[in-house]
Amino acid sequence: MFAIRSLCTNTSRSSLLASNRPQILMKNSAVSSVSYFSTDDSSFLTGTVKFFIRKKAYGFVIPDDPVAAGSSEVWIHRTSIDTPHSGEEYPTRPYLYKDERVKFRVDFDDEGRTPKATDLTFENGKTVPLFRKNYHQSAIKGEQQRLGEFLLEIMKEEGLDDEEQLEKIKTAAKATQEAIAAAERNQQLYGPPSDDE
């Protein structure tokens, strides 16, 4: 049985909302911001990530059961994604990849907008790590590419003697090493165990 976070403004709706499945709520519904939650897994829905835009920190899930979700798409915000470090200061935002399988609860509002996912995890119940598989390798590749571009700029720069050029190269190399070390620390602190994902 589902519990309801906010009460119905119309008592005739209470029997509708106490059913075992969330109902589709229309824009003019007398319900104000209802969230279904439960201590058991029956309140969770499953679905597939349609897309997630990392820079904007949102995306959509296509639920396996659109009737229970109240829509053929459910909106996701990064704050809806459960991570092992939820509530802590962390150096990045959680994100999802297209076609990943997820499990979530649905939050409806009274303005008729697309339902919002809450308590989102992978379908197997594991939380989403802040730094995903292969993060460290991609960070190293990115830093090496930036270093290469910077070295080309130094070589094109006119008016530098050999000593000034060498000093700039040393500074750039040191910054690259520090960025790679930071990526390695982040992967160890916030990344998935090696067998995950």
Side-chain angles (χ1 to χ4, degrees):
M1 186 63 68
F2 289 93
I4 302 174
R5 262 190 216 157
S6 63
L7 297 175
C8 299
T9 56
N10 181 344
T11 55
S12 65
R13 295 278 183 174
S14 58
S15 60
L16 169 72
L17 295 171
S19 69
N20 264 348
R21 300 178 95 180
Q23 303 295 314
I24 298 174
L25 300 176
M26 301 301 164
K27 185 172 184 171
N28 296 327
S29 162
V31 178
S32 63
S33 190
V34 175
S35 251
Y36 297 89
F37 62 98
S38 171
T39 55
D40 61 32
D41 267 2
S42 67
S43 65
F44 279 95
L45 302 175
T46 57
T48 303
V49 176
K50 181 177 181 180
F51 68 85
F52 192 86
I53 303 170
R54 286 182 69 184
K55 288 183 179 179
K56 296 187 178 184
Y58 78 90
F60 285 90
V61 171
I62 300 170
D64 294 338
D65 186 350
V67 173
S71 177
S72 61
E73 293 183 341
V74 177
W75 187 70
I76 317 163
H77 187 261
R78 72 175 175 87
T79 57
S80 305
I81 301 172
D82 283 349
T83 70
H85 307 281
S86 293
E88 297 178 25
E89 274 298 313
Y90 43 81
T92 190
R93 300 173 178 169
Y95 58 93
L96 298 165
Y97 291 123
K98 179 181 178 180
D99 296 329
E100 283 187 311
R101 296 287 299 161
V102 292
K103 180 168 84 168
F104 57 94
R105 291 186 171 109
V106 178
D107 187 21
F108 298 95
D109 69 18
D110 60 345
E111 296 180 21
R113 293 182 290 206
T114 301
K116 178 184 176 188
T118 62
D119 304 323
L120 188 140
T121 63
F122 290 126
E123 187 175 29
N124 62 8
K126 290 185 179 182
T127 57
V128 178
L130 295 176
F131 292 94
R132 307 297 295 274
K133 191 174 185 179
N134 299 325
Y135 161 77
H136 184 243
Q137 289 81 7
S138 64
I140 289 172
K141 186 177 178 180
E143 291 301 327
Q144 289 171 336
Q145 184 178 0
R146 277 188 279 282
L147 177 61
E149 291 168 359
F150 187 69
L151 292 176
L152 286 174
E153 287 176 23
I154 291 172
M155 293 168 72
K156 289 179 184 178
E157 200 171 325
E158 294 181 21
L160 288 179
D161 62 27
D162 289 345
E163 194 172 299
E164 291 173 320
Q165 202 174 38
L166 184 59
E167 192 57 39
K168 282 191 169 196
I169 290 170
K170 284 181 182 178
T171 303
K174 183 178 179 184
T176 300
Q177 287 175 334
E178 289 171 358
I180 289 171
E184 190 172 72
R185 279 192 308 276
N186 286 336
Q187 182 74 37
Q188 289 171 351
L189 290 171
Y190 303 107
S194 56
D195 295 339
D196 281 3
E197 287 190 68

